[in-house]
Amino acid sequence: MTWRNSIRHVAIDMSATYRAAIRTGLPNAVVVVDHFHIVQLANKMLSLVRRRTTAEIRGRRGRATDPEWKARRRLLRNREDLNDEQFAKMWNPLLDEGKIGQTLLTAWIAKESLRTLLALARTGADRHRIGQARYKFLTWCADADIPEVRTLATTVDRWWNEIAAFIDTGHSNAKSEGINRVIKLVAHAAFGFRNATNQRLRTRCVTTRRTRGHLRTAQL
């Protein structure tokens, strides 16, 4: 169909199934991985490292008194969103904690290095600069000798063409993700819908607030 040929880019989550479907149905479109899901994957890696190292070294689950537990939220925040005091409260206790803290900080640096690479989107960075940032991230992950960090690096390398497309274009599926979230909230607030027509009407209205005055029920 003609409209398919006009689609240039498709932004998706890191799903091999989605990617395969797009390449089949839209062979001319460039697949772009949304950066939010890449950072989300890095944050999940951090949580996995924290739980594993705590279990291996302490022989139990994390507790509120553990430095790594206290720092768990700051570890997931962006570096630029932490002021100097907040950063020191995260960094210094973990550094003094020994193997657990040092392992976590190594994983945190990997996450921030990946964010630095993704931040080159919409900056007009050339291939050389992008290549340097990518090399720095992959080298740090390889030298870290942390299973979860290396898995993250492997995933990024496997999806590099799609990630590079994001850096080149800056395209994101944030709007569709936001609409999907609103639809789920509507269904949750209604405790589910028994009537498919009512569900369609409610979700259409709540996701078209700006043009709601121009909607006619018959068109829904």
Side-chain angles (χ1 to χ4, degrees), residues 11 17 19 22 34 59 65 69 73 88-89 154 171 198-199 208:
T17 303
R19 180 172 60 182
I22 293 168
D34 181 71
T65 55
W69 175 265
R73 298 190 185 280
K89 285 183 178 179
T154 300
H171 293 325
N198 288 343
Q199 180 178 9
T208 54

Side-chain angles (χ1 to χ4, degrees), residues 67 70-95 105 108:
K70 293 179 180 179
R72 71 192 188 285
R73 298 190 185 280
R74 290 192 176 98
L75 285 167
L76 302 181
R77 293 181 62 184
N78 301 332
R79 173 61 184 94
E80 62 271 18
D81 295 333
L82 296 172
N83 58 39
D84 293 340
E85 181 180 358
Q86 291 170 330
F87 178 74
K89 285 183 178 179
M90 178 195 76
W91 185 273
N92 295 336
L94 288 177
L95 194 62
L105 291 176
W108 180 83

Side-chain angles (χ1 to χ4, degrees), residues 38-46 72-82 90 104-118 137 140-141 149 152:
I38 305 172
V39 177
Q40 185 182 55
L41 189 66
N43 283 333
K44 288 182 178 178
M45 174 274 294
L46 267 174
R72 71 192 188 285
R73 298 190 185 280
R74 290 192 176 98
L75 285 167
L76 302 181
R77 293 181 62 184
N78 301 332
R79 173 61 184 94
E80 62 271 18
D81 295 333
L82 296 172
M90 178 195 76
L104 266 175
L105 291 176
T106 300
W108 180 83
I109 292 174
K111 185 257 291 187
E112 288 300 311
S113 180
L114 178 58
R115 289 190 60 252
T116 299
L117 172 61
L118 297 175
F137 165 71
W140 181 268
C141 292
V149 173
L152 174 66

Side-chain angles (χ1 to χ4, degrees), residues 8 24 39 47 60 75 87 126 128 143 155 173 175 208:
R8 302 299 183 188
T24 300
V39 177
S47 296
R60 57 171 173 76
L75 285 167
F87 178 74
D126 57 25
H128 178 70
D143 294 341
T155 302
N173 65 348
K175 289 185 178 180
T208 54

Side-chain angles (χ1 to χ4, degrees), residues 13 71 92 150:
D13 306 351
N92 295 336
R150 289 190 171 184

Side-chain angles (χ1 to χ4, degrees), residues 23-218:
R23 288 177 175 173
T24 300
L26 302 169
N28 297 324
V30 176
V31 180
V32 180
V33 170
D34 181 71
H35 64 295
F36 169 81
H37 296 92
I38 305 172
V39 177
Q40 185 182 55
L41 189 66
N43 283 333
K44 288 182 178 178
M45 174 274 294
L46 267 174
S47 296
L48 289 174
V49 172
R50 176 175 57 80
R51 296 189 186 104
R52 178 180 60 79
T53 53
T54 298
E56 289 180 354
I57 296 176
R58 301 190 190 279
R60 57 171 173 76
R61 296 180 62 182
R63 296 175 180 172
T65 55
D66 297 333
E68 68 271 18
W69 175 265
K70 293 179 180 179
R72 71 192 188 285
R73 298 190 185 280
R74 290 192 176 98
L75 285 167
L76 302 181
R77 293 181 62 184
N78 301 332
R79 173 61 184 94
E80 62 271 18
D81 295 333
L82 296 172
N83 58 39
D84 293 340
E85 181 180 358
Q86 291 170 330
F87 178 74
K89 285 183 178 179
M90 178 195 76
W91 185 273
N92 295 336
L94 288 177
L95 194 62
D96 296 338
E97 189 60 23
K99 186 176 181 180
I100 293 179
Q102 292 171 8
T103 301
L104 266 175
L105 291 176
T106 300
W108 180 83
I109 292 174
K111 185 257 291 187
E112 288 300 311
S113 180
L114 178 58
R115 289 190 60 252
T116 299
L117 172 61
L118 297 175
L120 294 177
R122 308 184 185 95
T123 63
D126 57 25
R127 293 291 181 182
H128 178 70
R129 186 179 175 189
I130 295 172
Q132 282 186 325
R134 181 190 180 193
Y135 176 79
K136 182 177 180 180
F137 165 71
L138 292 176
T139 302
W140 181 268
C141 292
D143 294 341
D145 197 24
I146 301 173
E148 294 85 354
V149 173
R150 289 190 171 184
T151 299
L152 174 66
T154 300
T155 302
V156 170
D157 195 50
R158 187 184 303 123
W159 283 84
W160 175 247
N161 289 336
E162 293 77 14
I163 294 173
F166 163 73
I167 296 175
D168 288 340
T169 65
H171 293 325
S172 169
N173 65 348
K175 289 185 178 180
S176 60
E177 289 285 350
I179 291 174
N180 185 54
R181 176 177 176 273
V182 170
I183 292 173
K184 289 180 178 179
L185 288 175
V186 170
H188 178 74
F191 296 94
F193 288 98
R194 295 183 179 181
N195 187 306
T197 302
N198 288 343
Q199 180 178 9
R200 185 184 179 192
L201 177 63
R202 289 281 297 274
T203 55
R204 181 72 179 276
C205 287
V206 79
T207 56
T208 54
R209 294 187 181 95
R210 294 183 180 179
T211 57
R212 185 178 299 167
H214 304 286
L215 286 175
R216 287 180 288 181
T217 305

